[in-house]
Amino acid sequence: MITILIADDQTLLREGLQTILNLETDITVVAVAENGQEALEAVAAHRPAVVLMDIKMPVMDGIESMKKIKKDYPDTIVLMLTTFAEDKFIVNAMAGGANGFLLKDMPSDKIVQTLRDAVRGDLIMPASIAAKLASRLHVFSDQSSDAFDEEVLRRQGLKLTERERKMILLMLEGHTNKQISGAMFMSEGTVRNYISVIYNKIGTSDRQAAIAKLKELLLRDAT
């Protein structure tokens, strides 16, 4: 039996989804929640297999709630419910560990099938969401592709992995750790670990000093 928690601040949508899902013989809704905080508490109490999580909710929004759930209950599948495909929500949700997205206007049979696919381990990404995500990645790629020549740093004795190179490109463009985590689909903790390694290679423990050092190396080689 697939156990479901529905978290949405709209009563009509919660009850509608609950009715649709409870008609299935292999699916049961074990709890509903009106905000992210209630969802977090309901997951602790009921341990559902899948959480359907609205993004915009009062008290605690869906993305923050999802991140806490994935931290405390990493095996829980969390699908973000949305009626829109905004870049910032897509990146933040995926970086936080969401298992995918469900559009609220999906046909009921598609919603049911999508839930079964998620339980089987599929990443749930409707076409409109995937298009937005691809566009976001393309933007980062275009902004960063020619930002510096890696050979310049290698000649200065600084050897980088591909992931470190991408992270340095984003650092040089002024992105924060949170923005980098979203762009590279990592947790902020993982980003911090990579940046610590980069600091060690450069010989500093300060972000601004690291950026200045990188720019100095590039300028030195150019002149």
Side-chain angles (χ1 to χ4, degrees):
M1 183 67 69
I2 303 173
T3 52
I4 308 289
L5 164 66
I6 301 170
D8 196 291
D9 61 339
Q10 297 181 28
T11 302
L12 185 60
L13 188 135
R14 281 198 317 273
E15 293 180 351
L17 280 175
Q18 186 174 18
T19 299
I20 291 169
L21 297 178
N22 279 338
L23 290 174
E24 303 299 316
T25 57
D26 61 336
I27 297 175
T28 183
V29 177
V30 295
V32 295
E34 297 183 5
N35 58 64
Q37 182 60 43
E38 286 187 6
L40 184 60
E41 294 169 358
V43 169
H46 299 279
R47 300 301 300 274
V50 182
V51 177
L52 303 183
M53 182 79 77
D54 188 23
I55 291 178
K56 287 189 172 182
M57 291 186 291
V59 184
M60 180 188 293
D61 67 49
I63 292 178
E64 183 64 24
S65 180
M66 175 271 296
K67 290 178 179 179
K68 292 179 181 295
I69 289 170
K70 296 300 286 188
K71 177 182 177 182
D72 296 339
Y73 310 98
D75 294 333
T76 302
I77 296 167
V78 184
L79 301 178
M80 308 307 295
L81 290 169
T82 184
T83 55
F84 40 79
E86 296 186 31
D87 297 10
K88 62 180 181 180
F89 294 124
I90 297 170
V91 172
N92 286 345
M94 295 303 293
N99 298 92
F101 293 80
L102 264 182
L103 298 176
K104 292 181 180 180
D105 59 359
M106 273 184 172
S108 58
D109 59 337
K110 181 65 174 178
I111 290 175
V112 170
Q113 186 56 52
T114 297
L115 286 175
R116 294 186 178 120
D117 292 343
V119 171
R120 285 199 297 267
D122 293 349
L123 175 65
I124 307 304
M125 192 69 63
S128 60
I129 300 289
K132 283 286 187 178
L133 182 58
S135 176
R136 180 64 179 264
L137 291 175
H138 180 69
V139 167
F140 274 107
S141 176
D142 284 351
Q143 288 176 341
S144 304
S145 58
D146 298 320
F148 68 78
D149 183 354
E150 189 177 351
E151 288 299 323
V152 170
L153 298 182
R154 186 176 290 115
R155 285 195 293 272
Q156 301 292 341
L158 186 61
K159 296 181 180 180
L160 304 171
T161 67
E162 179 62 22
R163 190 162 284 184
E164 289 167 351
R165 178 180 182 275
K166 290 178 180 178
M167 201 162 290
I168 285 175
L169 288 169
L170 293 172
M171 289 172 60
L172 288 173
E173 291 171 0
H175 294 286
T176 64
N177 285 2
K178 186 173 184 178
Q179 290 170 326
I180 293 172
S181 74
M184 299 186 69
F185 303 101
M186 300 176 177
S187 68
E188 286 189 60
T190 301
V191 169
R192 285 194 294 271
N193 290 339
Y194 270 100
I195 289 178
S196 292
V197 172
I198 293 170
Y199 287 169
N200 288 335
K201 289 185 177 183
I202 297 173
T204 183
S205 59
D206 177 77
R207 192 185 197 89
Q208 294 306 315
I211 291 173
K213 180 67 173 179
L214 287 165
K215 290 181 177 179
E216 178 187 345
L217 291 173
L218 293 170
L219 180 62
R220 182 192 306 166
D221 192 272
T223 56

